[in-house]
Amino acid sequence: MVNSDYLKNLNEAQKDAVTHLDGPLLIVAGAGSGKTKVLTSRIAHIIAEKKAFPNQILAVTFTNKAAKEMQNRVSKILGASAIGLSWLGTFHSICAKLLRKHASAVNLNSNFTIIDTDDQIRLIKNICKAENIDVKQLAPRYVLAIIDKWKNKGQYPNEVRINNKDVYEKTILPVYKIYQQKLTDLNACDFGDLILHAVKILEKNNDIRDIYSRNFKYILVDEYQDTNYIQSRWLNLLTQENKNLCCVGDDDQSIYSWRGAEIKNFLEFDQIYENTKVIRLEQNYRSTQNILSVASKLIANNQNRVGKTLKTSMEDGDLIKLNCYKNGKDEAIGISDELEKIRKKYSLNEVAILVRAIFQTREFEERFLKIGLPYRILGGTKFYERAEIKDCVAYLRIVHQDKDDLAFERIVNNPKRSVGDGSLKSIHEYSKKNSMSLELASRKMIEDNLIKPKTKIGLSFILNFLNKWRHDCNIKKINHVKLLQIILDESGYSAMLKNKKDMENENRLENIKELLSAMKEFDTLESFLEHVSLATSIDQDWDGQKVNMMTMHAAKGLEFEAVFLPGWEEGLFPHQKSIEEKGQNGLEEERRLAYVGVTRAKKKVIISFSMNRFYQGDWIDSMASRFIDELPTEHLEKNSFFEEEKNAIDDFEFNQDIEENDEDTIRSPGWLRYQKRIK
């Protein structure tokens, strides 16, 4: 049963965005303006008004979490009417779905494997080795970054045009050709391929494009400011028939150019799609007026933006605190003191420290450990990237798909089975010479007695069990959870971890237990493996009260009662590298990052900088970020450093506990330089 109240809870701009259903629509949604509510209400409205069936709506998000939240919200409004929203998901998951239906069009089978970054690096290393390319001089990660850049531009190897004077790209292009062919041979693709292949299928097959273009009556896209060229091209192809494309985003929160995002997709939307209606969501439901005033004044210094003015019905709230400290250690002490005060009012779970660079967390971690303040680091090693989890997944992948050489290579000698590098090299050579998978090559080499006796025992062991596990899976129909338990026991992997009783292995065993629990949420082995491949975020340990520490990039989409923004210093923030590489565009993106940081806060913002910072073994004199000069002073509360003074050195005070007094009387060059600047 449809909940008819979904329109009543919207303001006028939101209601306009929900009910405008004809033609292209750009929704400029400011931070905390309820864009998710608008998107979900719009989907509900389309279905409730019988403008389209659920399977005729394409809704695209950037994370699985966002997709799940959208699905849940629509279901709450529509009830059973929401069943059939089969095209709601991330760019990658939807393109993977399309690609499995039309895999043959790009020379793949429908059961292709989606490889992750580690697999990509191993593949690149193997190619570089075969081509006599020194990986010390040309890092595989750099090679992958360039290949990914080409894919984001929609270019297969034969479509890449390079500057012959660019030695690196000239070397990488042949690697790209071999890499892409190898993926085809493995019946695999990487993340970039999912969208690239989907686009090429739509471009080269008018009949397929017409099917999808006619089917999708309405297309909705979240976080449109983060799209790259190939994603934008994909959307353009799908709107050939119906022009009802609705894109939601905030150009002021475009902070991912380093991973290919192109803000011009957002800024030029009304030029690409004729008769575009632009609706601005400017009512903020998250932050106090002082926070919004500071954020708006700061971002107004950017030139490349659509423009909007955030407003709120909330009270003015606390002034934004601006604190200067002598050095990074004092900054950590000062912030810990502030936290002790804040935790009387807010849960630590509702407090975040957002840094520009991850190395900045070190001083806070040391301080918090010293005083016993609990914290968590968000954005560390992800669950599915932990070695023991990748091992488990590799076992499942090779059982699922016998051509998965990368999975085979990972598990064949894990645990140790006397299949060393030399033996593996021989198998690789035989595989290449005879154009077969590593597993099949191993079996043929055993048959032909081309394997050393000791290696033959270990290799035969794993090959026999692969046959047995596939029989368990395909014939006996043992579910994937039980299957993994069997694999871990029979392979010796569990015994390997249990035999060494230390904390690290105990943690690994706990992670595997958690993996088995997670697998229960999926009906099939294939759906679980696809989830692992496409996972963009994972649940963190939120148990207990802990201060959250993360980069400002990682904080995008989150909100907290109180936010600390340390390290606002020239060279660090804005980051020198960003300005050097991208000039004014880099500076504006850094400022958008500052805007994102400030607007994560509901009630309280504390910005700070230090005059000296210990970095890579040396003391670095620093100056306050230029962004601090752009903050409106009427909305700021400054610490004692900013008071008009005070000639006596003893009058120089900081609002934190001083633990070493012998250096307190030294004014650094950075301090003197800053004094000249603020006068």
Side-chain angles (χ1 to χ4, degrees), residues 527-554:
S527 62
F528 167 71
L529 290 175
E530 185 153 309
H531 168 76
V532 173
S533 299
L534 298 175
T536 57
S537 63
I538 57 147
D539 292 333
Q540 301 284 339
D541 176 19
W542 288 87
D543 295 339
Q545 287 199 32
K546 298 176 185 177
V547 178
N548 302 285
M549 279 194 275
M550 72 199 84
T551 64
M552 282 182 270
H553 283 101

Side-chain angles (χ1 to χ4, degrees), residues 112-124 140-141 144 151 179 183 186 188-194 382-387 389-394 397 404 406-407 410 529-535:
F112 60 81
T113 299
I114 305 168
I115 66 171
D116 62 13
T117 304
D118 281 358
D119 286 336
Q120 289 178 279
I121 289 172
R122 280 195 290 143
L123 191 53
I124 292 293
R141 286 188 181 276
L144 284 178
K151 289 187 177 184
Y179 171 78
L183 286 178
L186 292 170
C189 59
D190 61 23
F191 282 93
D193 285 331
L194 293 175
K382 295 181 178 179
F383 182 80
Y384 289 110
E385 294 175 354
R386 296 170 188 171
I389 302 302
K390 291 178 75 68
D391 292 342
C392 292
V393 171
R397 277 172 45 183
D404 195 335
L406 297 169
R410 187 177 185 98
L529 290 175
E530 185 153 309
H531 168 76
V532 173
S533 299
L534 298 175

